[in-house]
Amino acid sequence: MGAGAELSTGIEYQDGTFGTAQKVETTSIPTSLRIATGRFQFTVTLPYLIIDAPGNVVGGGGGLFGLPIIVDPSQPATRVRREGLGDLRLGASYLVPLSGIGLTVMGQVKVPTALQRKKLGTGKPDYMMGAELAKSFGRITPFADLSYTIAGDPQGFDLRNAISARAGVAGQIAAGLRGHISYDYAQNLSRLAPDQEQISTGINAGLTNRLSLGLYGSAGLSQGAPDLGAGLQLGVRLF
């Protein structure tokens, strides 16, 4: 509750085959602005992407953690490294006024700002809507969320609308230090790549009253998920 704003940046790295025949490495350097006012929260995120993968692998299609993988069958599988700005993501959420339980409804629009010729995005907008439930028991807060992504219809792709879900627990480890662990599932937007299942975990530390540092990682449980993922995020509270 109340009003505030935070500017953050960081780096995310993923490594795996994502259900393809070759190794895929993705690095994202996202910059985000989060503004909260009352029960509303608004976010703007623009990443810089580096993808080292076969030429038929495309980034930028949504997903729970980092970069998704979409397969373009019209492109050769020759390995290529490309980089540039990714897709702009605009999000909004609302904390529903309920007693005893937290219910947040949310939505997001992916604006296709990534260069399609570099295979950093599909060149079409996507839309996501979802909700999260959370209930605190002292220092421990179990949570679960469900979201639905409406995929754009870029030429040459066989994409579908997809469901994502997550369930886990967050907790206050010490003063100014919180952690979480969750199981994540996401349908791949591409029918040519398997769905994603993984375990994610992370901690967030308040370094000062304005500066925070987050560290997080993941381990894949399915062929469609990255074998390993890791990242860090530095946030600065503006007001």
Side-chain angles (χ1 to χ4, degrees):
M1 302 298 290
E6 181 184 63
L7 183 66
S8 65
T9 189
I11 186 168
E12 302 171 353
Y13 174 80
Q14 291 184 342
D15 183 310
T17 63
F18 295 86
T20 67
Q22 299 185 47
K23 182 178 179 180
V24 175
E25 292 181 272
T26 63
T27 302
S28 174
I29 304 172
T31 299
S32 299
L33 176 64
R34 178 178 62 87
I35 298 175
T37 175
R39 295 182 176 273
F40 290 93
Q41 182 171 280
F42 304 94
T43 58
V44 180
T45 302
L46 182 64
Y48 187 86
L49 305 180
I50 304 171
I51 300 178
D52 187 351
N56 60 358
V57 168
V58 181
L64 283 170
F65 185 92
L67 300 175
I69 298 300
I70 294 173
V71 178
D72 182 356
S74 68
Q75 297 297 316
T78 305
R79 192 170 192 86
V80 61
R81 184 180 185 275
R82 44 251 151 84
E83 61 181 272
L85 289 177
D87 292 318
L88 178 69
R89 298 181 184 273
L90 307 176
S93 64
Y94 175 71
L95 179 61
V96 180
L98 296 176
S99 177
I101 192 169
L103 172 60
T104 302
V105 294
M106 64 197 79
Q108 185 184 87
V109 177
K110 185 199 81 175
V111 182
T113 54
L115 284 178
Q116 190 177 6
R117 63 179 176 82
K118 288 189 175 184
K119 299 297 183 289
L120 297 174
T122 64
K124 296 292 183 178
D126 298 335
Y127 306 92
M128 184 275 288
M129 62 194 74
E132 180 180 84
L133 281 172
K135 171 72 174 178
S136 294
F137 300 92
R139 291 175 173 264
I140 302 299
T141 304
F143 62 88
D145 64 50
L146 182 68
S147 63
Y148 183 72
T149 298
I150 301 172
D153 188 23
Q155 185 176 1
F157 291 85
D158 181 21
L159 303 186
R160 61 181 175 182
N161 299 340
I163 294 174
S164 299
R166 180 177 61 165
V169 62
Q172 191 76 35
I173 300 172
L177 182 65
R178 290 186 61 83
H180 76 272
I181 186 169
S182 66
Y183 163 79
D184 309 335
Y185 167 80
Q187 288 182 314
N188 201 305
L189 295 181
S190 171
R191 300 179 188 274
L192 301 178
D195 297 342
Q196 300 180 6
E197 294 181 72
Q198 61 189 28
I199 295 292
S200 300
T201 187
I203 58 173
N204 187 275
L207 303 179
T208 69
N209 63 346
R210 287 187 176 272
L211 193 64
S212 66
L213 176 66
L215 302 172
Y216 47 92
S218 69
L221 301 176
S222 69
Q223 289 186 341
D227 295 335
L228 293 172
L232 64 85
Q233 183 183 57
L234 184 66
V236 179
R237 185 168 61 86
L238 303 179
F239 62 86

